Amino acid sequence: MSKSILMYENGGPEKMQLHDVEVGAPGPGQVKVRHTAIGLNFIDVYTRSGLYATPLPNAVGREAAGIIVEVGPKVRGFKKGDRVAYCGVLGAYCQERLMGVDQLVHVPKGVSDEQAAAIMLKGMTTEYLVDHTAKAWLKKGDTVLFHAAAGGVGLLFGQWAKARGYKVIGTVSSPEKAALAKKNGYKWVIDYSKENVVEQVMKITKGKKVPVVFDGVGKDTWAASLDCLQPRGLLVSFGNASGTVPPQSVGILNAKGSLYLTRPSLGAYTATRADLEASAKSLFKMVKSGKVKIAIDQHYPLAEAAQSHIDLESRKTTGQTVLVP
């Protein structure tokens, strides 16, 4: 038997409970993976709450790393004992599970299981944000704005953007988080609990504003994000940590300066096997190079998944967090 966090109805963290489950043997094209580390992401909160509708019951969680312990028929490129990782596949909050090999990537030497589990989703999100989504808007030396700089994606983004030659302004909620962001590539940090974000961006950029804003917060930062953009600038709205942005008139983009808006997703950027492998390869290369350093700031036993959600939602966590099966 394997342990799994299951949820039979949407709601608060208490809806997630530890259960015994029978995993079974892998079928054609499948392997059985024994998790060694499971990543915690804000999208897990959306799944649990019902903001992102998913079939019930489910095990929540969308990224993990582990070892292949059993191989089904017609499997190529993977064998028993291989270290593997994945993201975007619902049901990661468990000890063991069956996986199609088309959903897995190999974890290379020089990257630990915990690092892989913590950064597959956040790291590949960072990769597409910096290297693809906004590439046409940016050149080396440009300044961009990123909200929630001390969060999981935020700490990776600061390092990745700096490595690509961009200067980044980050927003945070405390002096402690400001110090953390500064250590992770941010040239300027705005404490929005004490400072006006738009006014500070205007000051930093000498009134020019920024060509791109990366906003994973949503409702609370929407208006400020628009007001920080240059004419014909791009708002990359990639998350809803503070809640979903209310319906807007498209005319606001015209009124604010012929702005562009995109709502990207990792799934769209890794939709093909080639895209998935290329993104993971780029991510692992950055980690192995040392240009992006991964610190696991919090560990929770799998049985304490509910507490991890409480801490995540109350913004008590920083950086990367893993659940330990």
Side-chain angles (χ1 to χ4, degrees):
M1 298 292 285
S2 174
K3 298 289 186 182
S4 179
I5 295 287
L6 294 179
M7 184 180 68
Y8 288 86
E9 60 179 338
N10 296 115
E14 74 283 355
K15 299 297 183 182
M16 300 186 299
Q17 299 292 328
L18 193 66
H19 293 267
D20 289 320
V21 296
E22 186 67 48
V23 177
Q30 290 185 321
V31 295
K32 182 184 289 188
V33 178
R34 179 173 297 153
H35 288 157
T36 50
I38 301 160
L40 176 71
N41 297 281
F42 221 97
I43 195 172
D44 301 346
V45 174
Y46 303 157
T47 300
R48 189 207 74 224
S49 69
L51 178 63
Y52 289 179
T54 56
L56 296 173
N58 66 50
V60 197
R62 295 175 187 261
E63 71 174 347
I67 299 171
I68 295 176
V69 294
E70 191 175 345
V71 178
K74 299 182 180 180
V75 168
R76 295 180 180 179
F78 294 85
K79 65 183 185 304
K80 185 176 180 179
D82 281 354
R83 297 171 59 231
V84 294
Y86 64 88
C87 75
V89 185
L90 189 64
Y93 286 12
C94 62
Q95 292 178 329
E96 292 185 345
R97 69 181 304 186
L98 301 180
M99 297 285 297
V101 292
D102 59 328
Q103 301 165 320
L104 299 172
V105 297
H106 289 96
V107 178
K109 292 181 179 178
V111 178
S112 72
D113 287 7
E114 285 198 350
Q115 287 176 322
I119 63 168
M120 282 294 290
L121 196 153
K122 292 181 284 284
M124 291 200 292
T125 295
T126 302
E127 190 266 346
Y128 84 69
L129 289 175
V130 179
D131 290 353
H132 301 286
T133 304
K135 190 173 183 180
W137 270 261
L138 297 173
K139 62 183 184 299
K140 286 187 177 181
D142 279 349
T143 298
V144 300
L145 173 65
F146 189 98
H147 290 296
V153 176
L155 296 183
L156 298 177
F157 184 95
Q159 298 176 70
W160 200 301
K162 182 179 180 180
R164 293 293 190 246
Y166 307 130
K167 293 178 285 186
V168 192
I169 305 169
T171 69
V172 298
S173 60
S174 70
E176 293 76 18
K177 289 185 176 182
L180 185 60
K182 292 281 281 188
K183 291 179 180 179
N184 283 271
Y186 288 85
K187 187 171 178 65
W188 303 277
V189 181
I190 301 168
D191 184 343
Y192 63 79
S193 69
K194 301 176 181 178
E195 302 172 296
N196 181 283
V197 172
V198 178
E199 290 177 0
Q200 291 301 312
V201 168
M202 290 288 285
K203 182 179 179 180
I204 291 167
T205 62
K206 297 181 170 59
K208 294 181 179 179
K209 302 186 182 182
V210 297
V212 183
V213 174
F214 297 88
D215 189 343
V217 176
K219 178 171 64 69
D220 289 354
T221 49
W222 169 261
S225 292
L226 293 177
D227 287 339
C228 288
L229 282 169
Q230 299 171 359
R232 302 190 303 279
L234 172 67
L235 172 54
V236 183
S237 177
F238 67 95
N240 314 288
S242 67
T244 304
V245 176
Q248 304 286 322
S249 168
V250 70
I252 195 172
L253 301 177
N254 174 38
K256 297 290 185 179
S258 295
L259 303 179
Y260 291 81
L261 169 68
T262 184
R263 181 59 172 87
S265 70
L266 178 59
Y269 280 89
T270 56
T272 69
R273 179 68 191 177
D275 287 340
L276 174 63
E277 289 182 342
S279 182
K281 182 179 179 180
S282 179
L283 171 60
F284 292 144
K285 181 179 179 181
M286 287 291 272
V287 174
K288 291 175 68 174
S289 73
K291 294 178 180 178
V292 171
K293 294 179 172 60
I294 310 301
I296 311 299
D297 297 316
Q298 294 88 205
H299 295 76
Y300 295 83
L302 179 61
E304 296 179 12
Q307 185 62 50
S308 75
H309 277 222
I310 292 170
D311 293 347
L312 179 64
E313 289 185 274
S314 61
R315 302 189 181 186
K316 290 183 179 179
T317 63
T318 57
Q320 316 310 324
T321 303
V322 295
L323 304 178
V324 182

